[in-house]
Amino acid sequence: MFGCTYRRAVLLRRPSVPVQCLSRRSSFAGLTGAALLTIAAAVSIGAGSAPQQQQQIRQAQAQQQLQQAALQHQKQQTAQMGTVSKPLGGARTSQDELVDYLIRSKLVKSARVADALRAVDRGKYVNTAYASRTDAYQDHPLAIGEGQTISAPHMHAICLELLEPHLTPAARVLDVGSGSGYLAAAMAKMVAPDGFVLGVDKVPELVVRSRASLQAANPELLAAQGGHELLRITHGNALSDMLASEAPFAAIHVGAAADELHQVLLDKLAAGGRMVIPVGPHYSYQVLMAVDKDASGHVTTQALMDVGYVPLTRPSEYEDGSLL
């Protein structure tokens, strides 16, 4: 799900300069090319011909270094991004103030998106070991543990607006990289009462934590009404065969950088549906894409804006692309 400082360009027009972006899966955006190469080199230590156990130990060490670098960069970006929102409202102390700020910023445009965001309190989805409730209402990403972040509010707003025509009552929705569960909850509000949102995350600890947040903050989304399930958060890799038995989705949100438009996701996009996904090389800038499938199954893509996410990994690979 993804937060970024961007030049105030019109949405759906790609900025002429790279956008510095931080999201729940994008802690590396804005790093210099040299720094990116350093991080990539550190991660690649895990690859090679060493015995598997030693390789896994080195991979874990490299991943820890990578996460520490990401969080350090996040702190630097947070300091910069904090100055971005001050002219439009300064420090905020509630979800309503946050949504009002997003409306004044012309990021939230539709009443349905505004209502959904007002109904899902970001402060109840942050990890208080890393951020306070007050931090939750500022326009920047926050660490939620396991080396991941909850996206900046303006990126949540952008993605909800892009998907809004497809987040209709009774729609089926897929959230790949559901993380804190916050965006999945907002989308569930928009497709209620007869829709369905499936959140998938490869980090089991985040799945457990997001379910707990949902139960505490928005239990109505988890309670089956008349046997109908509105929201489910599950552990797994969306690029595996875990979606094989699932019917197509009218809206798909992907919160990690894909090095290609994966066929498994395209196959699960319903006719007339839209997918929002960052596409591009790992540990660099990607392009946020709107992928639309018409009634005949023809797929078109549109480049929206530069972003930066850590990789959407296949079941067989580490985040640096080396094989498990």
Side-chain angles (χ1 to χ4, degrees):
M1 234 315 4
F2 11 59
C4 64
T5 303
Y6 61 94
R7 310 321 191 251
R8 294 276 179 184
V10 177
L11 192 61
L12 305 183
R13 170 178 288 177
R14 187 175 177 184
S16 59
V17 293
V19 176
Q20 294 187 22
C21 182
L22 277 174
S23 79
R24 148 180 168 3
R25 303 273 183 186
S26 64
S27 300
F28 305 97
L31 288 175
T32 65
L36 286 168
L37 289 174
T38 300
I39 291 174
V43 176
S44 67
I45 293 174
S49 59
Q52 184 177 12
Q53 185 176 12
Q54 294 179 355
Q55 181 180 358
Q56 291 175 346
I57 292 174
R58 287 197 296 271
Q59 182 69 35
Q61 292 172 338
Q63 184 69 12
Q64 184 178 18
Q65 294 174 9
L66 183 146
Q67 292 175 355
Q68 288 174 346
L71 290 174
Q72 178 60 35
H73 180 64
Q74 178 188 330
K75 291 179 181 179
Q76 296 171 354
Q77 284 293 314
T78 295
Q80 294 178 9
M81 295 172 82
T83 65
V84 172
S85 61
K86 283 182 180 178
L88 291 171
R92 290 165 289 277
T93 59
S94 72
Q95 185 69 12
D96 280 338
E97 290 181 356
L98 175 58
V99 176
D100 290 342
Y101 154 73
L102 293 170
I103 293 172
R104 291 196 302 274
S105 303
K106 301 187 185 304
L107 296 170
V108 169
K109 303 174 183 178
S110 65
R112 295 182 65 241
V113 170
D115 290 345
L117 288 175
R118 290 190 194 280
V120 182
D121 190 335
R122 189 173 187 252
K124 296 180 180 179
Y125 287 83
V126 300
N127 187 335
T128 55
Y130 296 88
S132 69
R133 286 288 296 274
T134 300
D135 291 332
Y137 306 122
Q138 314 317 312
D139 193 11
H140 52 68
L142 297 169
I144 56 174
E146 318 311 323
Q148 308 300 329
T149 66
I150 182 173
S151 301
H154 68 266
M155 280 307 298
H156 283 148
I158 288 170
C159 289
L160 286 175
E161 287 288 347
L162 287 169
L163 292 171
E164 188 272 337
H166 306 274
L167 297 174
T168 57
R172 286 175 52 82
V173 181
L174 175 64
D175 185 18
V176 179
S178 52
S180 68
Y182 174 71
L183 187 63
M187 292 191 291
K189 283 289 184 181
M190 295 179 71
V191 302
D194 299 320
F196 172 65
V197 176
L198 176 61
V200 178
D201 203 286
K202 67 181 182 180
V203 182
E205 293 84 356
L206 293 184
V207 172
V208 172
R209 201 174 298 143
S210 63
R211 287 173 179 167
S213 297
L214 282 161
Q215 189 60 54
N218 296 100
E220 74 281 2
L221 299 178
L222 297 177
Q225 302 294 328
H228 173 71
E229 183 181 28
L230 178 59
L231 172 61
R232 184 197 319 156
I233 305 292
T234 189
H235 170 243
N237 189 308
L239 299 184
S240 69
D241 60 359
M242 69 174 294
L243 300 175
S245 62
E246 292 288 342
F249 299 90
I252 299 177
H253 166 261
V254 181
D259 56 7
E260 63 177 340
L261 283 177
H262 294 281
Q263 192 62 46
V264 66
L265 297 178
L266 290 173
D267 289 345
K268 287 303 173 181
L269 184 62
R274 166 171 282 190
M275 173 166 58
V276 175
I277 179 173
V279 180
H282 294 171
Y283 303 109
S284 181
Y285 288 105
Q286 300 91 34
V287 178
L288 189 66
M289 306 288 291
V291 181
D292 295 296
K293 181 184 287 188
D294 66 18
S296 66
H298 179 68
V299 173
T300 58
T301 63
Q302 183 178 17
L304 304 175
M305 59 192 294
D306 287 348
V307 292
Y309 292 78
V310 298
L312 177 67
T313 57
R314 297 168 177 83
S316 60
E317 65 184 3
Y318 291 108
E319 289 196 351
D320 69 329
S322 63
L323 298 180
L324 294 173

